[in-house]
Amino acid sequence: MHLGGKAPVWLLPVPGPPMGWVVPSRLESFVSRTRRWSLRTLVLATTAAVVVPVLFVPAPVRAEERAPAASTAPGDTVVGELVQAWPEHEDPADAVEHGDEGPLSWVRAEDGETVRVPTEDVSDIEVGSTVEVTVGDEVDDEPAAAPGLESAVEVLDAAVLAPPPVAAAAPPGTTNQITVAMVNPSGGVRDGARLADVVAMVDGPVRTFWSEQTGNAVQIGVAASHDWIDTTAACSTPYALWDEVAGRIGWTPGPGKHLMLYVSSTPGNLSGCSYGLAQVGQGGTAGGYSYVRGIRLSVMAHELGHNLGLGHSSEYQCDDQGSCRTRPYYDWYDVMGVSWEQVGALNTPQLQLLGPSPAWQEGRDWARLATTSPAQDVTLAPVSSTGQLRGLQLDAGSGETYWLEYRAPLNRDAWLGTTANRVGLESGLVLRRAGTGSDTSLLHDPTPSSRAVWDDDLQTALRVGVPVPVAGGMFVLTLRSADGANGATVSVAVSDRPLSSGGAIAARHQASGGNTGPLGPPVSPEACGLRDGGCRQHFASGSIYWTPATGAHVVRGVIRDMWRSLGTENGPMGYPTGSETAVPGGLKAAFAGGGIYWSASTGAKGVRGALRAKYEAAGGPAALGFPVAHDGATADGTGALVRLQGGWITWSPATGAHVVRGAILDMWRQLGAQAGPMGYPTGDDMAVPGGYKTDFAGGGIYWSASTGAKGVRGALRAKYEAAGGPAALGFPVAHDGATADGTGALVRLQGGWITWSPATGAHVVRGAILDMWRQLGAQAGPMGYPTGDDMAVPGGYKTDFAGGGIYWSASTGAKGVRGALRAKYEAAGGPAALGFPVRHDGATNTGGGAFVDLTGGSIYWSPGSAATVVRGAVLTAWRRLGAQGGELGFPTVEATPLADGSGTETRFQRGSLVERSDGAVERR
């Protein structure tokens, strides 16, 4: 990359506070107001960057670049309504993969201008609130939408000026008025979709679905429709797109009013367009915006569900060790999940969110059980039926609400029993938990399986006769029968106290030595009802915690103190999965969410997720020492790291977790660590002959005792590695950088140079040839940049350059040949045929030509004659006659055999010389 001749800039990190852990006084305080720690991604909101590294190797240009953010500058204050919209993916696998990346958030000012902000920056602010935010730099938050969506800007500070307004209630029986418009955004091409087909889908299947699910409480109808509109706005700014269409068709928002755009599905240049995008509404009468790119019941009903205030239907899976995950979208039963092909009955938590309706009445359609209710058998009709008991709410009294529903292959769910059920989804009694935020329904898997098969595990129905504890044993469900239209009968055992550990804590205490062992006697009774059905008991010198999934384990001393400060089982570490273990220099203990490590010099510190997995795989404390701080987000918020006595481990979604240590770590940090030109490590440090190297996303850092740690990037590094790296070329003696003339880049190595230019690529030059090239001015001299690596030829070496070639042998040294002379030299066989040049090519002293003397002859050239080889006795005789300045002039045709075989003839501009077989030379 030509950067105007400027020298390379190696950036030092911007100083800033280390990323530590929050030690909560209460569980709720563990999550700060505008920054949330995600166990899934370990990513925090980014901080503003103030400098950009200069790179010399061209980076690939993405096919679809992200659109710039709104015209705000760091430090600006924006006042407006916090609005959100859910982007969708057509492929179910993509939907699941990107499910935790939405929704997308904007601050929408009164004048309609919008500023997109990272959702995590405003995650504790209620949608619809009027907010005042101070914004920072653009951030790449990788939203679930297609590449090309407008960039988000960081929220530095936020204040709620007013809560969401109460939506005006629509009169009973009011129809949700859908205005449909066919839209071809800027850069697109209209597809073959017809307005009549879109209207027919909305007024037909979509209307029917919402009407039947709510007993006509949610009515859908097309109030107006508009054929193709070409807009100046693009999908990259969806609110601008909606506003432009609204203005052109005269649509105004209001209670129960929806603007649904059909956006051309022809790819064209539709950067930023999702499969569907819908504004998150404030309830069933709020109305809202949406667009779709398919004329399908599933996506249209799904987007309107978001307008009605519904989040996604997702799955909640656990393994037999108590490790759990929420899998976004992964509910194939429900329209608010990933059921793009088949649209079954709306699930019970989503129905509850919509509120009472003629089709959803307590006491008829659904019933409630609390921990004070008696044990009883309950028969549930299929959830796809109407006018019968088909939902059972279980209120555990701890803020968690569970729902039971029966999925039978009838009515809306008839597809479960046909070949349309291509994923193999089960019929049967299923358990759900009402969620909040993004996932308003969580389908529970009652049959834990190993993490290795989670992605393929669709077994979510309860098994006949198998007890399933819910809410730590507050409820125990046992399916008795499931018989199609006749319903499913389940026994519900109810307790105001959860299950005990069943003696597991006492057994663990006894195994550790009982009252005379290291734990000492008990100081509290066994207490149950903890998270995930757990129990605990405190002893004189420690505690034992138990859950059905993790078993009973001891926690004590400084590790217990740290675990308590992080929220015990309710904090990020969760329950212990093993008792403390001695390691060289200290102690460690394993937890469901990570590990806590202690040494006398570092204290107790926690390491989680991929960082911990790499730490343990690399040898743990024995190899890398102890953590000197809890793991945390990197300073730029794009990844995570843990600082250890013996190095760092860093992680990013793109590169994974890798070890960096020693002098290479020191240099990487000097260059700005992951925010500098090297980016994140892509490999661990590794030994190479004479030293070490570490691979990074932006290059590599190499160290030897004599050279220290130096960086090489881009095409220079690719050539360095391809040529054998340090084993072949030694170590870099300086960082790579721009060439003196600013047209390319180079790296100086112990065993040579590698230079690069846009026109010639990267090549190796070394030894005497390198010395000569540098004497001639390197790339700024007559030879220019190398166009090939140095290569062996008979008797020596040569290197090709843009302006010629340099040839070396032990007897002649390094000499250069250029232009037509070199072309002739190579065409005649080069050093193998004519030997090596004994001096650089040069101008003739007379006649206006050029020549080069070789150990096997000479080559002469003039404007009036082509480059010609002259050698042996003919060369000697010609030079006696004055060479090119004599009466024969320049050679024109090299030695050619005579017809009679008596010798050869070499022709010149004004005559010939014949060399006879006996060596005599005569003139013709």
Side-chain angles (χ1 to χ4, degrees):
M1 180 182 297
H2 188 334
L3 297 175
K6 294 183 179 179
V9 178
W10 286 80
L11 301 176
L12 299 179
V14 180
M19 301 299 292
W21 277 18
V22 177
V23 179
S25 57
R26 297 186 305 128
L27 173 62
E28 300 86 52
S29 68
F30 187 73
V31 180
S32 65
R33 181 177 180 277
T34 59
R35 295 289 186 271
R36 295 180 183 267
W37 178 39
S38 166
L39 289 173
R40 184 180 300 137
T41 61
L42 288 172
V43 175
L44 298 179
T46 58
T47 55
V50 296
V51 286
V52 178
V54 177
L55 300 179
F56 293 99
V57 181
V61 178
R62 297 193 313 188
E64 293 177 318
E65 295 288 355
R66 190 177 304 287
S71 55
T72 60
D76 284 357
T77 297
V78 182
V79 176
E81 179 187 2
L82 176 63
V83 293
Q84 291 184 337
W86 269 107
E88 317 293 356
H89 292 254
E90 182 174 9
D91 180 77
D94 289 342
V96 173
E97 179 183 353
H98 296 281
D100 59 357
E101 296 174 353
L104 305 173
S105 299
W106 290 262
V107 176
R108 184 169 169 83
E110 287 188 1
D111 62 2
E113 290 295 317
T114 57
V115 176
R116 196 168 78 79
V117 297
T119 296
E120 65 180 1
D121 284 12
V122 292
S123 57
D124 62 341
I125 301 177
E126 191 174 358
V127 175
S129 300
T130 301
V131 297
E132 179 181 85
V133 299
T134 302
V135 300
D137 283 348
E138 292 186 15
V139 295
D140 186 2
D141 59 344
E142 290 300 323
L149 186 75
E150 62 182 318
S151 296
V153 291
E154 177 189 19
V155 175
L156 302 177
D157 189 35
V160 177
L161 303 182
V166 177
T174 298
T175 297
N176 280 272
Q177 301 176 15
I178 313 297
T179 296
V180 172
M182 311 289 285
V183 174
N184 178 40
S186 175
V189 179
R190 296 182 183 184
D191 62 19
R194 300 187 310 160
L195 176 62
D197 294 332
V198 178
V199 171
M201 180 58 72
V202 176
D203 260 345
V206 176
R207 177 205 292 265
T208 300
F209 175 82
W210 286 110
S211 176
E212 74 178 20
Q213 297 304 300
T214 62
N216 292 323
V218 176
Q219 297 185 41
I220 300 293
V222 175
S225 60
H226 302 269
D227 215 336
W228 285 103
I229 299 171
D230 296 311
T231 64
T232 58
C235 294
S236 58
T237 53
Y239 274 92
L241 180 66
W242 283 319
D243 286 345
E244 180 180 345
V245 174
R248 291 174 65 173
I249 65 177
W251 183 87
T252 56
K257 297 177 66 177
H258 302 257
L259 177 60
M260 176 180 282
L261 312 183
Y262 173 85
V263 172
S264 173
S265 62
T266 301
N269 294 317
L270 292 183
S271 179
C273 287
S274 300
Y275 180 52
L277 186 73
Q279 184 180 11
V280 178
Q282 302 303 301
T285 62
Y289 299 104
S290 66
Y291 72 68
V292 297
R293 300 184 72 189
I295 308 174
R296 299 173 72 174
L297 165 60
S298 55
V299 68
M300 290 177 165
H302 184 108
E303 303 313 316
L304 287 172
H306 286 320
N307 281 178
L308 299 172
L310 303 183
H312 286 129
S313 294
S314 301
E315 185 182 33
Y316 187 75
Q317 293 175 294
C318 296
D319 64 15
D320 55 7
Q321 299 299 312
S323 178
C324 302
R325 73 168 180 182
T326 295
R327 198 174 187 195
Y329 279 93
Y330 211 71
D331 184 341
W332 291 83
Y333 294 104
D334 195 68
V335 71
M336 299 311 294
V338 76
S339 57
W340 293 136
E341 292 191 11
Q342 304 299 328
V343 180
L346 192 65
N347 72 47
T348 47
Q350 304 286 25
L351 279 168
Q352 188 73 0
L353 273 178
L354 291 174
S357 73
W360 192 244
Q361 296 292 328
E362 185 172 8
R364 183 194 68 189
D365 300 289
W366 67 278
R368 187 195 315 258
L369 291 182
T371 56
T372 55
S373 303
Q376 55 193 282
D377 287 354
V378 178
T379 298
L380 294 176
V383 72
S384 60
S385 61
T386 57
Q388 304 175 72
L389 184 65
R390 50 200 174 96
L392 181 62
Q393 184 189 91
L394 305 175
D395 185 355
S398 60
E400 290 190 330
T401 300
Y402 295 84
W403 286 87
L404 277 172
E405 64 184 46
Y406 178 42
R407 291 280 173 168
L410 299 168
N411 305 319
R412 273 279 170 192
D413 291 331
W415 63 276
L416 289 170
T418 72
T419 56
N421 184 4
R422 296 196 295 174
V423 297
L425 200 61
E426 293 184 317
S427 300
L429 191 71
V430 296
L431 174 69
R432 300 180 185 274
R433 176 161 55 92
T436 57
S438 301
D439 307 303
T440 47
S441 169
L442 292 168
L443 176 63
H444 275 239
D445 182 353
T447 56
S449 55
S450 68
R451 297 177 68 91
V453 299
W454 270 357
D455 288 351
D456 300 316
D457 185 2
L458 290 172
Q459 188 180 80
T460 55
L462 275 65
R463 291 331 193 218
V464 173
V466 179
V468 176
V470 177
M474 304 291 266
F475 301 94
V476 178
L477 312 175
T478 306
L479 178 63
R480 298 302 181 195
S481 64
D483 185 19
N486 295 323
T489 300
V490 59
S491 293
V492 184
V494 185
S495 174
D496 59 358
R497 294 190 61 189
L499 299 174
S500 73
S501 69
I505 289 180
R508 185 70 184 83
H509 178 235
Q510 192 62 33
S512 70
N515 292 346
T516 60
L519 284 174
V523 295
S524 73
E526 183 176 303
C528 294
L530 309 182
R531 171 184 169 185
D532 299 332
C535 300
R536 70 164 180 253
Q537 189 169 13
H538 298 309
F539 299 85
S541 298
S543 303
I544 299 176
Y545 280 77
W546 170 91
T547 73
T550 61
H553 298 287
V554 174
V555 190
R556 59 179 182 169
V558 290
I559 287 181
R560 182 177 66 163
D561 294 342
M562 178 53 70
W563 183 55
R564 282 177 167 174
S565 73
L566 297 172
T568 62
E569 75 277 4
N570 296 308
M573 285 295 175
Y575 283 99
T577 57
S579 300
E580 68 178 38
T581 304
V583 292
L587 300 168
K588 75 173 182 177
F591 295 84
I596 297 178
Y597 300 79
W598 174 89
S599 75
S601 61
T602 59
K605 302 296 187 292
V607 190
R608 300 163 294 167
L611 295 173
R612 179 172 178 256
K614 172 57 75 172
Y615 183 28
E616 289 291 340
L624 291 169
F626 287 83
V628 297
H630 296 304
D631 71 68
T634 52
D636 64 356
T638 60
L641 66 88
V642 61
R643 300 174 179 89
L644 306 159
Q645 291 173 309
W648 283 19
I649 300 175
T650 62
W651 170 93
S652 77
T655 59
H658 297 287
V659 177
V660 192
R661 51 186 164 181
I664 290 179
L665 171 61
D666 295 340
M667 179 54 68
W668 180 56
R669 293 180 66 189
Q670 288 179 37
L671 298 173
Q674 72 286 338
M678 285 294 172
Y680 282 94
T682 58
D684 302 332
D685 62 339
M686 63 181 295
V688 292
Y692 291 87
K693 76 168 184 174
T694 301
D695 297 332
F696 295 87
I701 298 179
Y702 300 78
W703 174 91
S704 76
S706 61
T707 60
K710 302 295 188 293
V712 189
R713 299 166 294 169
L716 295 173
R717 179 170 179 259
K719 172 56 73 173
Y720 184 27
E721 290 290 340
L729 292 170
F731 287 83
V733 297
H735 297 306
D736 71 69
T739 52
D741 63 357
T743 61
L746 66 88
V747 61
R748 300 175 179 89
L749 306 159
Q750 290 173 308
W753 283 18
I754 301 174
T755 61
W756 170 92
S757 77
T760 59
H763 297 289
V764 177
V765 192
R766 52 186 165 179
I769 291 179
L770 171 62
D771 295 339
M772 178 55 67
W773 180 58
R774 293 179 65 188
Q775 289 178 35
L776 295 173
Q779 73 284 340
M783 286 295 173
Y785 282 93
T787 58
D789 302 332
D790 63 339
M791 63 181 295
V793 291
Y797 291 87
K798 76 168 184 175
T799 300
D800 297 333
F801 295 87
I806 298 179
Y807 300 78
W808 175 90
S809 74
S811 61
T812 61
K815 302 296 188 293
V817 188
R818 299 167 296 165
L821 295 173
R822 179 170 178 262
K824 185 61 177 179
Y825 182 28
E826 289 291 339
L834 292 172
F836 287 83
V838 297
R839 60 180 60 84
H840 297 306
D841 69 67
T844 56
N845 55 6
T846 60
F851 77 104
V852 61
D853 288 334
L854 308 160
T855 55
S858 297
I859 303 174
Y860 281 78
W861 168 91
S862 75
S865 62
T868 306
V869 176
V870 189
R871 50 186 160 182
V874 171
L875 175 61
T876 302
W878 176 60
R879 284 181 168 169
R880 285 200 202 100
L881 295 172
Q884 75 281 349
E887 54 191 56
L888 290 177
F890 281 94
T892 58
V893 179
E894 58 195 64
T896 304
L898 295 171
D900 61 5
S902 63
T904 61
E905 179 184 20
T906 300
R907 296 180 182 177
F908 296 86
Q909 290 175 318
R910 295 184 290 276
S912 299
L913 290 176
V914 174
E915 182 179 4
R916 298 298 180 182
S917 301
D918 59 4
V921 176
E922 62 186 45
R923 180 178 173 184
R924 276 192 180 180

XYZ file of all heavy atoms in Angstrom, residues 51-94:
324
model
N -5.929 6.670 17.502
C -4.939 6.592 16.433
C -5.184 5.349 15.619
O -5.791 4.404 16.065
C -3.507 6.554 17.017
C -3.085 7.902 17.537
C -3.405 5.514 18.115
N -4.670 5.381 14.373
C -4.836 4.237 13.470
C -3.466 3.784 13.012
O -2.662 4.608 12.575
C -5.701 4.624 12.252
C -5.819 3.455 11.300
C -7.066 5.098 12.701
N -3.148 2.498 13.096
C -1.821 2.054 12.657
C -1.665 2.150 11.152
O -2.616 1.983 10.405
C -1.780 0.595 13.109
C -3.209 0.192 13.194
C -3.962 1.424 13.600
N -0.426 2.427 10.719
C -0.116 2.480 9.298
C 0.386 1.114 8.874
O 1.352 0.607 9.428
C 0.953 3.544 9.023
C 1.322 3.541 7.560
C 0.444 4.922 9.437
N -0.246 0.509 7.902
C 0.181 -0.784 7.391
C 0.646 -0.619 5.962
O 0.132 0.211 5.220
C -0.965 -1.790 7.462
C -1.515 -2.039 8.870
C -2.661 -3.032 8.785
C -0.429 -2.582 9.781
N 1.582 -1.461 5.545
C 2.155 -1.311 4.226
C 1.696 -2.361 3.248
O 1.997 -2.284 2.088
C 3.679 -1.328 4.334
C 4.175 -0.125 5.060
C 4.507 -0.209 6.403
C 4.234 1.101 4.429
C 4.934 0.903 7.074
C 4.669 2.212 5.109
C 5.006 2.116 6.441
N 0.994 -3.376 3.725
C 0.541 -4.425 2.830
C -0.950 -4.252 2.606
O -1.699 -4.109 3.552
C 0.823 -5.813 3.442
C 0.366 -6.909 2.499
C 2.325 -5.934 3.690
N -1.401 -4.211 1.357
C -2.811 -3.923 1.097
C -3.707 -4.944 1.769
O -3.475 -6.134 1.714
C -2.920 -4.033 -0.431
C -1.524 -3.934 -0.935
C -0.646 -4.467 0.129
N -4.757 -4.426 2.452
C -5.760 -5.310 3.039
C -6.869 -5.538 2.027
O -7.177 -4.661 1.224
C -6.339 -4.682 4.303
N -7.496 -6.729 2.033
C -8.595 -6.971 1.090
C -9.774 -6.064 1.382
O -10.077 -5.763 2.532
C -8.962 -8.441 1.345
C -8.463 -8.712 2.724
C -7.256 -7.869 2.908
N -10.410 -5.584 0.336
C -11.584 -4.733 0.479
C -12.824 -5.610 0.547
O -13.022 -6.463 -0.302
C -11.694 -3.752 -0.709
C -12.939 -2.903 -0.573
C -10.460 -2.877 -0.766
N -13.640 -5.435 1.573
C -14.848 -6.236 1.679
C -15.808 -5.881 0.560
O -15.921 -4.732 0.143
C -15.548 -5.999 3.033
C -14.697 -6.431 4.210
C -15.463 -6.512 5.493
N -16.306 -5.356 5.755
C -16.939 -5.148 6.899
N -16.821 -6.020 7.859
N -17.689 -4.095 7.077
N -16.545 -6.888 0.135
C -17.487 -6.671 -0.957
C -18.557 -5.677 -0.553
O -19.043 -4.902 -1.358
C -18.113 -7.996 -1.373
N -18.955 -5.701 0.716
C -19.982 -4.785 1.188
C -19.451 -4.094 2.441
O -19.345 -4.704 3.506
C -21.266 -5.544 1.532
C -21.940 -6.160 0.309
C -23.176 -6.962 0.691
O -23.137 -7.688 1.684
O -24.156 -6.821 -0.012
N -19.098 -2.837 2.311
C -18.589 -2.112 3.455
C -19.750 -1.593 4.291
O -20.826 -1.295 3.787
C -17.728 -0.927 2.982
C -16.477 -1.339 2.255
C -15.443 -1.938 3.204
O -15.669 -1.934 4.421
O -14.426 -2.437 2.699
N -19.530 -1.497 5.588
C -20.562 -0.955 6.468
C -20.779 0.521 6.181
O -19.845 1.264 5.933
C -20.135 -1.158 7.924
C -21.261 -0.853 8.898
C -20.840 -1.132 10.321
N -20.370 -2.500 10.508
C -21.152 -3.558 10.520
N -22.463 -3.419 10.328
N -20.661 -4.757 10.700
N -22.044 0.947 6.206
C -22.360 2.346 5.976
C -21.897 3.178 7.161
O -21.852 2.705 8.290
C -23.873 2.515 5.790
N -21.528 4.439 6.929
C -21.066 5.265 8.046
C -22.187 5.539 9.031
O -23.369 5.476 8.699
C -20.610 6.556 7.352
C -21.378 6.588 6.068
C -21.548 5.155 5.661
N -21.789 5.830 10.266
C -22.770 6.166 11.289
C -23.382 7.527 10.980
O -22.950 8.265 10.094
C -22.102 6.178 12.658
N -24.438 7.841 11.736
C -25.064 9.151 11.589
C -24.030 10.239 11.875
O -22.993 10.000 12.497
C -26.252 9.268 12.532
N -24.337 11.453 11.428
C -23.361 12.532 11.515
C -23.248 13.039 12.942
O -23.740 14.114 13.283
C -23.754 13.673 10.575
O -25.079 14.105 10.873
N -22.647 12.262 13.807
C -22.352 12.675 15.171
C -20.854 12.615 15.359
O -20.158 11.870 14.688
C -23.032 11.757 16.197
O -22.561 10.420 16.000
C -24.538 11.800 16.068
N -20.383 13.419 16.291
C -18.969 13.424 16.613
C -18.807 12.983 18.059
O -19.723 13.157 18.876
C -18.386 14.829 16.418
N -17.667 12.371 18.407
C -17.464 11.982 19.796
C -17.697 13.156 20.734
O -17.206 14.263 20.514
C -16.001 11.516 19.809
C -15.751 11.051 18.413
C -16.545 11.970 17.545
N -18.478 12.893 21.782
C -18.821 13.937 22.743
C -20.165 14.578 22.505
O -20.684 15.305 23.369
N -20.783 14.361 21.313
C -22.101 14.927 21.039
C -23.150 14.317 21.964
O -23.047 13.158 22.387
C -22.514 14.662 19.593
C -21.802 15.579 18.615
O -21.042 16.444 19.080
O -22.000 15.417 17.401
N -24.181 15.078 22.244
C -25.317 14.611 23.045
C -26.525 14.465 22.136
O -26.817 15.353 21.332
C -25.637 15.592 24.180
O -24.502 15.653 25.054
C -26.839 15.121 24.984
N -27.203 13.342 22.231
C -28.375 13.052 21.410
C -29.547 12.786 22.336
O -29.428 12.006 23.295
C -28.135 11.833 20.496
C -29.349 11.573 19.622
C -26.891 12.042 19.639
N -30.676 13.412 22.060
C -31.893 13.218 22.847
C -32.964 12.627 21.945
O -33.173 13.100 20.815
C -32.392 14.551 23.459
C -33.713 14.343 24.202
C -31.340 15.119 24.393
N -33.608 11.581 22.405
C -34.659 10.972 21.610
C -35.198 9.715 22.259
O -34.855 9.373 23.402
N -36.021 9.006 21.514
C -36.640 7.778 22.012
C -35.733 6.592 21.714
O -35.161 6.481 20.632
C -37.997 7.566 21.330
C -38.700 6.284 21.769
C -39.960 5.991 20.957
O -40.253 6.777 20.026
O -40.624 4.980 21.231
N -35.567 5.701 22.700
C -34.820 4.461 22.476
C -35.741 3.483 21.763
O -36.786 3.093 22.284
C -34.346 3.863 23.803
C -33.629 2.512 23.682
C -32.352 2.646 22.867
C -33.338 1.923 25.055
N -35.359 3.107 20.547
C -36.150 2.164 19.755
C -35.270 0.984 19.392
O -34.038 1.094 19.304
C -36.721 2.823 18.479
C -37.748 3.872 18.818
C -35.605 3.423 17.622
N -35.907 -0.164 19.194
C -35.181 -1.371 18.832
C -35.904 -2.107 17.720
O -37.116 -1.963 17.554
C -35.016 -2.299 20.048
C -34.087 -1.754 21.107
C -33.864 -2.714 22.259
O -34.673 -3.598 22.510
N -32.761 -2.539 22.973
N -35.140 -2.893 16.979
C -35.715 -3.710 15.910
C -34.923 -5.004 15.828
O -33.706 -5.015 16.025
C -35.682 -2.969 14.571
N -35.660 -6.087 15.516
C -35.028 -7.408 15.424
C -34.699 -7.727 13.969
O -35.589 -7.780 13.133
C -35.966 -8.490 15.942
C -35.813 -8.765 17.393
C -36.653 -8.421 18.404
C -34.736 -9.472 18.020
N -36.164 -8.854 19.603
C -34.992 -9.500 19.407
C -33.566 -10.071 17.535
C -34.130 -10.112 20.309
C -32.718 -10.674 18.437
C -33.000 -10.692 19.812
N -33.418 -7.988 13.648
C -33.071 -8.484 12.306
C -33.200 -10.002 12.266
O -32.903 -10.689 13.243
C -31.615 -8.051 12.141
C -31.068 -8.083 13.537
C -32.217 -7.743 14.463
N -33.642 -10.534 11.144
C -33.828 -11.978 11.012
C -32.940 -12.528 9.885
O -32.541 -11.810 8.982
C -35.297 -12.317 10.697
C -36.328 -11.529 11.497
C -36.343 -11.840 12.984
O -35.597 -12.743 13.424
O -37.077 -11.172 13.725
N -32.682 -13.832 9.966
C -31.922 -14.547 8.937
C -32.819 -15.630 8.346
O -33.513 -16.345 9.079
C -30.673 -15.182 9.529
C -29.649 -14.177 9.982
N -28.486 -13.937 9.294
C -29.634 -13.333 11.036
C -27.791 -13.008 9.910
N -28.465 -12.624 10.978
N -32.779 -15.770 7.034
C -33.654 -16.742 6.383
C -33.246 -18.171 6.700
O -34.084 -19.028 6.926
C -33.647 -16.523 4.870
C -34.569 -17.476 4.109
C -34.654 -17.160 2.631
O -33.865 -16.315 2.169
O -35.507 -17.738 1.950
N -31.955 -18.442 6.729
C -31.482 -19.793 7.013
C -31.550 -20.040 8.521
O -31.011 -19.260 9.304
C -30.043 -19.948 6.532
C -29.506 -21.338 6.804
O -29.863 -22.266 6.049
O -28.765 -21.499 7.786
N -32.207 -21.129 8.966
C -32.331 -21.372 10.406
C -30.997 -21.445 11.127
O -30.874 -20.956 12.243
C -33.088 -22.709 10.465
C -33.850 -22.777 9.195
C -32.982 -22.109 8.176
N -29.999 -22.050 10.503
C -28.693 -22.149 11.151
C -28.095 -20.761 11.380
O -27.508 -20.486 12.431
C -27.752 -23.000 10.311
N -28.236 -19.867 10.383
C -27.744 -18.504 10.558
C -28.520 -17.784 11.646
O -27.956 -17.013 12.430
C -27.867 -17.723 9.243
C -26.875 -18.184 8.190
O -25.885 -18.844 8.572
O -27.097 -17.911 7.001
